[in-house]
Amino acid sequence: MRFFRLFLSIITFYSLTSNFAHAADRKVTVHRDKWGVPHVYAETASEGAYGLGYAQAEDRLHDIYTSIRTGTGTMAEAFGSNYLEQDYIMRLCRNNDIAQNSLKTMPANIRTLVENFTAGIQAYVDEHPEAVPEFAVKLEPWKILTIGRAMILRWPLGTIDDEKNQVPNSKRPPMGSNEWAVAPSRSADHVPILLSDPHLTWEGMSVLYEARVHAGEMHMNGFFLIGSPILAIGHNQRVGWALTTGGPDTADVYEMTIRANPDKKQLEYEYDGEWKPVSQQLFSIPVKGGATVEKPALYTHLGPVLSAPDLKQGTALVGAAPLLEMSGMMEQGYQMVMSKNCQEFFQAVGKGEFNPQNIMFADIKGDIGFVRCGVTPIRPEGYDWKRPVPGNTSKTAWKGIHPVEDLVHIFNPPQGYMQNCNISPLNMMKDSPFTADKYRDYIYHVSWDTENPRSLRIRSLLEADHAVTREKAIAYTMDIFDVHAQRWQTELKLAIDAVGKQKMQNPQFAAAVKAILDWNGYFTSEATATSLYKFWRLKVGTEANIEQLQDGGHFDATQQEVVLNVLQKTIDDMQTKYGKWDVAWGDIHQVGRDEQLFPAAGADFQSGPKELNFSETLFDVRSKDNPTHPGKFIANSGSMAVILMFFHPDGIQSLTCTPWGQSGNPKSPHYADQAEKLYSKLQMKPTWWTEKELVQNLESTRTLAIKAVAK
């Protein structure tokens, strides 16, 4: 490392050397590679956190402040009444109080990480006051902790909302992902391979930040939640992990018996025959452009009251989830980052501080593993925990927390591979051992995540490949094949053969039909049948009786006429809008920022019943209308923090890809460079994890002086 630093000192582009004279000064170096990704080198973990905080601020300062406002429940103050309910929920969950208490009680070394990370952000702010947005707030370490809690609370709060409305987990969550693992027995190089590909929105709290950190014993490579010093997805020097949404049921709703006591002038709830006082609090929430809103909060010992109680009926619904009170996410993240093998990582996950997730992991020893994790209460039997249960009796009280060994998990499956693209454990691999009869229903917890096109595709690819090469692994990661294309081509051909002979006399119609039938099913940017195919299917979903396709059925003659008429309408619409029906997919489906737009492959769309007319490619790209270019679509969510890892005995090699660029500054050369050179071309970049690789791919170096930093 000394030689490496001497070499870098010669090629340093700029450095802060004026503060180095003080004997107590410490230094952290932030190198930027050719993609602008920071590589932080420091002697201690706390100094590394400082450098990471500085780098995050340099790239994403606006996002940091937005995340802090989200976590602290102060978005409405800066952005208006649309955020009022969101702010209220953060306050109802006591996010600020729990974060402040957590900072005081967490282990000193982890508290130092948070404090120095915050100090790094502040250092950048002090140097660049012009970069600070008008909605900025005072930076304090405890506020950093609210960000992670706000993120993980989305899962239990979503479950609580579903159960309150008696639609338990029936909604597909807005956050999906891909993950798969290959054991050495299925790898051409005889090493584990692991893929993590989260499908999140590309703006807001879900945005992930790419970085590498080498700081004392702490090594992190991959993606961080913006405003966090701990790695979310990626690898250290020995272990790597991937996340997808899914997991056990970690939250419940209790129906309480409640009354207003006029003598005591307070609300009370019944529990085991006794009346207990409802704890009350009044929140004052400032709103930009309006008056401050006063909103009351009510609490029982089981949790907060979710909506105004019905005093006429004498009932109130209360939300309960261990994560509402837990505050050790940073400690669990640190333990995961510091794990040395799969078993240590599994035990770290067992702390239960993460949101419910399907987690896959691998190590350089050759092991792979999986756990469907989440802090899961032990529920009494005899109740339907998918709906509100009686809260007036201790008979429904939780009996503790399930240890991680109770959850769905496996090490080194005999199949030699596994995948979970937001699907049931039953569908993770051929002959899956994960059958529902082996688990409590709330541990297995499958409803919306039974199966999907991404799962069908990657399982078939991995099952057929007994020696996955590096090139094949990359191809699987960036795969843009529609598994349902053949079925719709069959329906089109059946319709043409049965009722379409007259329409085929039209040369334009016949050419369009031939284009769809000849299409190979891949949503490439160059393909000219894909746009027509997609728009046709969207119209079919609204105008035809899709239910006829249930259980492998086909359209009858009447619906076949509808399907062909819809195709003609689609052709006509495209002729009007684009001047031709065979417009290339990448001409209208694009990725980038502002006016820096580039062709985008991949797809994700549906119309009508989801299980019958839904397509998504493994490399998942969702889009919205481009308001400045009518008729075109701009990608805004889907694959967004892709990392593919190879676990060699002498170290981990990894590749990444993001949809835009490293920086949020429109003037930066890394504002949209990955959109143009990687994402648009379905390519990945190496992470240059070793010092030797970094030296050969260096763009800039900056050495930061840190005074009186805690070790």
Side-chain angles (χ1 to χ4, degrees), residues 457-478:
R457 177 61 172 166
I458 190 60
R459 189 173 62 247
S460 67
L461 290 172
L462 294 178
E463 173 62 28
D465 194 339
H466 293 269
V468 180
T469 64
R470 178 186 176 93
E471 292 71 26
K472 283 288 189 68
I474 296 172
Y476 297 162
T477 298
M478 315 303 282

Side-chain angles (χ1 to χ4, degrees), residues 80 220 235 419 574 677:
M220 300 181 288
H235 64 86
Q419 62 84 25
M574 293 186 70
K677 299 173 183 177

Side-chain angles (χ1 to χ4, degrees), residues 149-170:
R149 274 186 51 80
M151 185 67 171
I152 68 170
L153 286 175
R154 295 182 179 190
W155 277 261
L157 289 174
T159 299
I160 286 171
D161 186 61
D162 282 347
E163 292 185 5
K164 180 185 72 171
N165 296 303
Q166 297 193 20
V167 285
N169 238 29
S170 62

